[in-house]
Amino acid sequence: MPLRIFRSRSVSGANLVQVLVVAALFSFQVLVALYLQKVLGYGAAETGLAMLPAAVVIGAVSLGLSARLNARFGERNVLLAGIVLLVGVLALLARVPVRAGYAVDLLPVMLLAAGFGLALPALTSLDMSGASEEDAGLASGLFNTTQQIGMALGVAVLSTLAASRTESLAADGRTAAEALTGGYRLAFAVGAGLLAPAFVVALAMLRRPERQTAQEPTDDTPAPARAVTV
């Protein structure tokens, strides 16, 4: 892989932000399902239905709304707004109770997941805007690769933290539900913490290059002829 691709601030920044965001959000996709089944006692079908609102809002926002918001407010601003919503998702999950009610404790989380539908299209656009035509395929492949890396790291690190915390709480005499919930809360809190540097990197590094709208006159550019009046 030609390392010149990393000379672009947009490409480097977008890939770093993606690793952090995807790693954080896999605590949502994986651990919420485990929480629903192991703590609240949902079956597989009930778990799928419980998480369906998140899939619906993410799809609706990413396919219908994100392009208009990007055009109006700029990709970086939309990305930052999406990250803020995702912080809200994980912050709420970090306080989830052992006996959660779906409508009160979980449905708002599913709806705030719309932030992922805002963040990912904006992030993709910012990544590709920093690549030359020659490196467009390379930038796209790199972006897909870092997404997979973020998934793997997120599942491995956050699941390990959750399991370790659960074992510690169980050893202290907590019930199984309390110990599991405590482990999941820690993973959600760490996931929220991963989004803080993602926000900072996006704010500092990601700016779409301005499009050149008019050619600036130079010393070598002949001045336009002026009409002579008599």
Side-chain angles (χ1 to χ4, degrees), residues 3-18 76 79 122-132 135 139 142-143 198-210:
L3 297 181
R4 67 173 182 272
I5 192 71
F6 294 107
R7 295 174 186 167
S8 168
R9 287 167 58 91
S10 292
V11 172
S12 298
N15 281 279
L16 179 55
V17 170
Q18 177 170 236
R76 187 180 68 156
L79 171 61
L123 195 56
T124 303
S125 181
L126 287 165
D127 172 71
M128 296 307 298
S129 72
S132 63
D135 290 334
L142 177 64
F143 195 71
F199 185 93
V200 173
V201 172
L203 187 64
M205 296 183 66
L206 297 183
R207 291 182 177 85
R208 174 180 281 276
E210 295 182 1

Side-chain angles (χ1 to χ4, degrees), residues 35 40 42 97 99-107:
Y35 168 77
L40 299 186
Y42 284 29
R99 295 179 179 84
Y102 181 79
V104 174
D105 298 307
L106 295 173
L107 183 58

Side-chain angles (χ1 to χ4, degrees), residues 52-228:
L52 181 61
V56 171
V57 296
I58 290 173
V61 170
S62 62
L63 295 176
L65 184 61
S66 62
R68 291 195 293 272
L69 293 176
N70 288 338
R72 181 169 182 179
F73 300 106
E75 289 88 347
R76 187 180 68 156
N77 292 331
V78 174
L79 171 61
L80 295 174
I83 292 175
V84 169
L85 290 178
L86 295 177
V87 171
V89 167
L90 295 178
L92 289 175
L93 287 172
R95 302 177 59 187
V96 72
V98 176
R99 295 179 179 84
Y102 181 79
V104 174
D105 298 307
L106 295 173
L107 183 58
V109 171
M110 302 298 169
L111 299 180
L112 284 176
F116 195 69
L118 293 177
L120 190 57
L123 195 56
T124 303
S125 181
L126 287 165
D127 172 71
M128 296 307 298
S129 72
S132 63
E133 292 184 8
E134 178 186 1
D135 290 334
L138 174 61
S140 177
L142 177 64
F143 195 71
N144 288 331
T145 300
T146 56
Q147 187 175 86
Q148 300 303 315
I149 292 172
M151 292 177 186
L153 288 175
V155 171
V157 173
L158 298 177
S159 297
T160 300
L161 289 173
S164 177
R165 178 63 173 165
T166 296
E167 290 178 2
S168 176
L169 292 173
D172 290 340
R174 303 291 182 89
T175 66
E178 290 173 339
L180 285 167
T181 302
Y184 298 145
R185 284 175 180 169
L186 174 62
F188 296 139
V190 173
L194 291 175
L195 293 175
F199 185 93
V200 173
V201 172
L203 187 64
M205 296 183 66
L206 297 183
R207 291 182 177 85
R208 174 180 281 276
E210 295 182 1
R211 296 180 177 85
Q212 189 173 0
T213 56
Q215 182 179 1
E216 295 293 335
T218 64
D219 294 339
D220 297 330
T221 305
R226 297 181 180 178
V228 178

